[in-house]
Amino acid sequence: RKEVEQDPGPFNVPEGATVAFNCTYSNSASQSFFWYRQDCRKEPKLLMSVYSSGNEDGRFTAQLNRASQYISLLIRDSKLSDSATYLCVPFDSWGKLQFGAGTQVVVTP
Amino acid sequence: GAGVSQSPRYKVAKRGQDVALRCDPISGHVSLFWYQQALGQGPEFLTYFQNEAQLDKSGLPSDRFFAERPEGSVSTLKIQRTQQEDSAVYLCASSLDGDRAFFGQGTRLTVV
């Protein structure tokens, strides 16, 4: 089993709609979690950090379920500029960042 | 500089050639990571440094891959006798305390 699993998508979302997707992780020792977004042919950029049960930043909400070992990301009022691949990254106790393969989101007009 | 800097941005190598990829992390950042990203895939972990110590190199795909960070700042990823399957984007990231990491723009390696 991969350490980090994500639905590759694509999630096709009408502009203004809400989209949510999950990431499951296998390492129960993971201390904190991050969501990165990656645009085509660009480097990953940090979107949100998740340290406790969840975090909200504007239109983005991340929730952590330690018992079931998954993190979710919800995007409200989707914008065209939200089209990207979203990468889930658990941070383990050894300091290693393991990336999922990413979930592609396509926001359509 | 303000961010992580990688050079060269693009590298074309003939099969069998050795290449060296450079990463200048954000000043003062303790942790440094190297990742390999193939088209359509997420970044795959290669290796990780804390200061000059290479704590984990479990992701290096073969003994042709070697990374170093001798003074705990700049890091070099070296690939010997490049093969076509080495073609990918090589990403470097640095982190102040092993927490949030910031990426360079990557080096796109094409082996022909």
Side-chain angles (χ1 to χ4, degrees):
Chain A
R1 182 187 170 191
K2 287 187 178 179
E3 292 195 37
V4 184
E5 296 203 44
Q6 294 186 251
D7 183 340
F11 284 68
N12 293 297
V13 187
E15 195 174 5
T18 296
V19 61
F21 42 89
N22 291 342
C23 161
T24 58
Y25 62 95
S26 61
N27 185 356
S28 59
S30 295
Q31 302 290 311
S32 49
F33 305 84
F34 306 98
W35 282 104
Y36 281 76
R37 69 167 281 165
Q38 187 172 28
D39 295 289
C40 188
R41 294 183 171 268
K42 299 285 188 182
E43 74 276 20
K45 291 190 175 174
L46 182 65
L47 178 67
M48 293 183 72
S49 306
V50 187
Y51 298 107
S52 57
S53 61
N55 192 21
E56 185 173 327
D57 183 1
R59 298 183 294 105
F60 297 84
T61 301
Q63 290 194 314
L64 169 62
N65 185 318
R66 287 190 188 273
S68 301
Q69 294 187 203
Y70 75 84
I71 321 149
S72 63
L73 183 66
L74 182 146
I75 308 173
R76 285 185 298 278
D77 186 23
S78 298
K79 312 291 185 191
L80 295 177
S81 58
D82 294 334
S83 297
T85 296
Y86 291 84
L87 300 162
C88 166
V89 191
F91 172 65
D92 70 24
S93 54
W94 294 102
K96 187 167 79 176
L97 297 173
Q98 284 281 13
F99 281 80
T103 295
Q104 186 183 8
V105 172
V106 179
V107 182
T108 55
Chain B
V4 179
S5 177
Q6 291 187 246
S7 60
R9 288 288 313 279
Y10 303 92
K11 176 69 179 178
V12 178
K14 290 185 178 179
R15 194 170 58 180
Q17 186 180 351
D18 297 349
V19 298
L21 312 180
R22 178 186 169 105
C23 174
D24 278 272
I26 293 172
S27 179
H29 276 198
V30 170
S31 301
L32 185 146
F33 307 85
W34 281 100
Y35 291 87
Q36 181 191 60
Q37 187 170 28
L39 195 62
Q41 303 294 317
E44 293 284 342
F45 173 82
L46 293 177
T47 186
Y48 157 58
F49 292 85
Q50 263 193 19
N51 297 305
E52 69 278 4
Q54 189 174 21
L55 298 188
D56 190 330
K57 55 182 182 179
S58 61
L60 296 176
S62 77
D63 58 9
R64 297 185 295 105
F65 286 71
F66 172 75
E68 61 182 4
R69 194 186 185 198
E71 297 178 359
S73 178
V74 171
S75 177
T76 305
L77 176 67
K78 296 178 180 177
I79 309 173
Q80 296 177 322
R81 304 181 303 282
T82 51
Q83 303 293 317
Q84 281 194 317
E85 61 263 28
D86 300 335
S87 296
V89 175
Y90 290 84
L91 293 164
C92 175
S94 73
S95 171
L96 178 60
D97 52 9
D99 198 308
R100 295 177 301 166
F102 299 89
F103 281 83
Q105 292 181 298
T107 294
R108 185 175 299 276
L109 173 66
T110 304
V111 181
V112 298

